[in-house]
Amino acid sequence: MAEGRLFFTSEIFEGGRRRRRVARPQKTWVEPSRTLPVFAECDVLVVGGGPAGTAAAVSAARLGADVVLLERYNHLGGLSTGGLVFWIDRMTDWDGKPVIRGFAEEVFDRLPKEYVCGPARADWGSRDAATAAYWSLRAAAFHGIVTWSPMVCPERLKLVSLDMVEEAGARLALHGWASVPVVEDGAVKGVVFESKEGRQAILAKVTVDATGDGDIFHRAGVPSENDIEKNDIHHCMNTAWIWAGVDMKRWMDFRTSDPDGYSAFMALGREKVRHFERPFTSWRDDVALFMGPRQSGFDALNVDDLTEVETLCRRLMWQHLEVFRAHAPGFANAYPVQSAPQMGVRHTRRMVGVEKVVRAQWDDGTPLSSEVGVSPSLSPRFRNISVPYGALLPRAVDGLLAPGRHLSCDATSHSFMREIPQCWLTGHAAGAAAALAASVGVAPRALDVTVLQSALQKQGAYVRPSASSDRARPRAQSPAAERKAIS
């Protein structure tokens, strides 16, 4: 049985192409060789300032590394801010115990309370029917259990992320798009990036690919997987949007007190719009979040497909507004505030790593000897998931770590390993590993995992004592041997 997202359901809309596609010329152009200026040299280069990249930069800098964080947009936070995915998925297990900690906990310690909407700590893990019913409407209770999965203000999260990076001492470079890795002798030594200044290079002892799509590890020759779980939303993409001027309390009362009326409204919306989505709450009762309609059948690595989905979603926002204003309780005065500047991409590539998060772990729950973090499971039926260090390490290339949604995992486990808290978790681990490896002059795959685990625990991460007496580092072939085996 395909398990997918067992606690959260949403419609998946199969993409129907409407834009005219122009055939691409069957030609090539040889780019002339040129000498590039070096923008910076550093211990650790983090490419991508989303949740994983921000966490990586902060953890590495706090361990004393000279860190450069390269980000293509004008803000940090990635999809949690620019993608308007400010519903932060579960950080507690089904008993209410916080398991995604460290960087994630500090983010919420820094966010002013008026910019966060979520259950009180005393309610985490509560099975009280009334409490769970209240929070289920606010995406913070599943299977009748209250979870720590709050809504946050994306603009304030941008500021908190910026403050943490700069206070840690990392050098931030915005508006720079990494294009290709610098690879020498089977190891990544930095990247080439494009900006308004032109093409430049950043050289680093260790590079962290936090692009989300594996852009750096892919171009460095690291193999990846792209199979999907069709029944889950993890392979869909869309542009999210938010409206203000709404009364979400009135809307939620309508949903719960008039189920027939709610069903009739949704049917009307599908009739008029076809791809029709319900709203989510936010950090305020006068702001509504739309995280769909989720589009399937498109490739987020294809420029034409990305363009198609962007144009479709922006039209859908205005079509939704017309229906909601006319027919939805609490939405008569709704007006658009923002459509996301970042496409809501959930899946493209998953790295082939030294280790892998797999479905078999869901039933076992045993801490792995190389554990660098713990993820909540999809359902109370399953145990907490041990995240191994080797899931961040490519098999075939040195000098590189890859946290975030493109880490090494199977398609089913990707349904939760792609979420914002899990990206914070893996980014935190990757940044610490990069700093430690750079400080002693070894490849990340050669790092003693016990040293990394100790550093993570000192930074507040939740890493459990292993049930195994084998505390050796993740084993893998040498990059040269691995490349030979792959070829």
Side-chain angles (χ1 to χ4, degrees):
M1 181 185 72
E3 272 139 326
R5 179 163 292 285
L6 296 170
F7 64 92
F8 177 76
T9 58
S10 179
E11 287 188 273
I12 296 174
F13 298 95
E14 190 67 29
R17 287 168 172 74
R18 302 176 185 177
R19 295 173 62 86
R20 183 175 67 91
R21 297 293 176 96
V22 178
R24 300 184 183 184
Q26 299 301 304
K27 294 182 178 180
T28 60
W29 175 72
V30 177
E31 183 176 5
S33 174
R34 53 178 162 163
T35 300
L36 301 179
V38 174
F39 177 80
E41 290 184 284
C42 58
D43 296 327
V44 176
L45 168 62
V46 181
V47 183
T54 302
V58 171
S59 62
R62 286 178 176 174
L63 286 172
D66 178 16
V67 178
V68 173
L69 174 56
L70 179 68
E71 167 55 42
R72 65 173 168 138
Y73 290 104
N74 68 349
H75 60 268
L76 297 176
L79 288 182
S80 65
T81 56
L84 298 181
V85 187
F86 53 77
W87 169 58
I88 309 301
D89 206 348
R90 297 162 307 118
M91 292 166 279
T92 50
D93 65 16
W94 296 104
D95 293 323
K97 179 180 180 178
V99 293
I100 297 183
R101 305 185 60 187
F103 182 87
E105 281 190 328
E106 184 175 345
V107 166
F108 284 95
D109 287 343
R110 287 171 172 255
L111 282 167
K113 301 308 178 188
E114 64 265 34
Y115 298 113
V116 179
C117 179
R121 191 182 185 103
D123 290 329
W124 299 353
S126 172
R127 296 170 186 256
D128 175 74
T131 305
Y134 176 87
W135 285 110
S136 67
L137 291 171
R138 294 160 176 80
F142 309 94
H143 299 293
I145 302 172
V146 178
T147 64
W148 177 230
S149 46
M151 299 281 184
V152 304
C153 170
E155 290 302 321
R156 194 68 188 207
L157 182 54
K158 289 178 184 177
L159 179 61
V160 167
S161 301
L162 176 63
D163 287 345
M164 293 177 70
V165 166
E166 294 197 326
E167 288 172 17
R171 178 182 178 183
L172 179 61
L174 299 174
H175 301 284
W177 192 315
S179 54
V180 294
V182 176
V183 182
E184 298 176 358
D185 301 322
V188 174
K189 302 290 188 179
V191 301
V192 173
F193 76 101
E194 303 280 355
S195 73
K196 290 293 186 180
E197 291 186 40
R199 195 166 188 168
Q200 301 177 83
I202 300 175
L203 304 180
K205 296 176 182 177
V206 179
T207 299
V208 177
D209 181 351
T211 61
D213 298 312
D215 293 337
I216 304 306
F217 76 66
H218 173 72
R219 291 165 190 163
V222 176
S224 60
E225 299 175 320
N226 61 5
D227 57 307
I228 62 172
E229 174 54 68
K230 290 185 178 180
N231 293 330
D232 188 83
I233 64 173
H234 85 109
H235 58 89
C236 300
M237 61 179 177
N238 61 275
T239 299
W241 66 79
I242 54 176
W243 295 343
V246 303
D247 185 345
M248 290 303 290
K249 289 183 177 179
R250 186 180 172 197
W251 164 258
M252 288 184 287
D253 180 65
F254 166 64
R255 279 192 61 185
T256 55
S257 64
D258 187 3
D260 291 339
Y262 172 72
S263 296
F265 168 74
M266 292 300 292
L268 174 67
R270 294 186 191 100
E271 177 186 340
K272 289 181 174 294
V273 180
R274 184 176 171 230
H275 295 185
F276 194 65
E277 175 75 358
R278 61 183 172 86
F280 287 78
T281 57
S282 73
W283 74 101
R284 293 173 57 103
D285 286 332
D286 60 352
V287 175
L289 166 66
F290 287 79
M291 291 198 291
R294 296 161 180 82
Q295 305 297 318
S296 176
F298 292 98
D299 180 1
L301 299 175
N302 181 284
V303 171
D304 290 325
D305 279 7
L306 288 166
T307 304
E308 179 91 14
V309 175
E310 287 279 15
T311 56
L312 172 62
C313 289
R314 298 194 189 284
R315 290 190 172 95
L316 283 170
M317 181 183 72
W318 290 100
Q319 292 166 3
H320 275 65
L321 186 63
E322 182 177 348
V323 174
F324 271 83
R325 276 178 172 172
H327 303 284
F331 282 81
N333 298 314
Y335 60 93
V337 174
Q338 183 182 24
S339 56
Q342 289 184 233
M343 170 71 74
V345 175
R346 296 168 176 83
H347 177 267
T348 50
R349 307 180 181 101
R350 304 190 314 279
M351 179 182 68
V352 174
V354 173
E355 296 177 281
K356 189 175 185 178
V357 179
V358 296
R359 169 63 182 83
Q361 293 177 248
W362 301 13
D363 300 308
D364 187 300
T366 302
L368 300 172
S369 62
S370 59
E371 179 177 285
V372 291
V374 178
S375 171
S377 64
L378 278 176
S379 160
R381 291 164 45 194
F382 305 113
R383 309 283 186 87
N384 289 338
I385 313 299
S386 185
V387 181
Y389 176 48
L392 313 180
L393 290 169
R395 281 188 187 176
V397 174
D398 267 329
L400 184 66
L401 290 147
R405 70 171 185 252
H406 57 217
L407 88 167
S408 180
C409 65
D410 62 22
T412 307
S413 299
H414 185 263
S415 66
F416 59 90
M417 287 306 300
R418 67 180 176 84
E419 298 288 0
I420 304 301
Q422 283 78 0
C423 290
W424 281 333
L425 179 163
T426 56
H428 185 176
L436 293 169
S439 69
V440 295
V442 301
R445 74 179 65 247
L447 184 65
D448 185 339
V449 174
T450 61
V451 174
L452 172 58
Q453 290 166 332
S454 177
L456 289 170
Q457 288 172 331
K458 289 177 182 177
Q459 289 189 344
Y462 178 55
V463 179
R464 301 169 295 184
S466 174
S468 168
S469 59
D470 178 12
R471 303 293 284 176
R473 64 178 179 266
R475 294 179 174 85
Q477 298 183 48
S478 68
E482 186 67 35
R483 287 194 299 275
K484 183 177 180 181
I486 291 170
S487 62

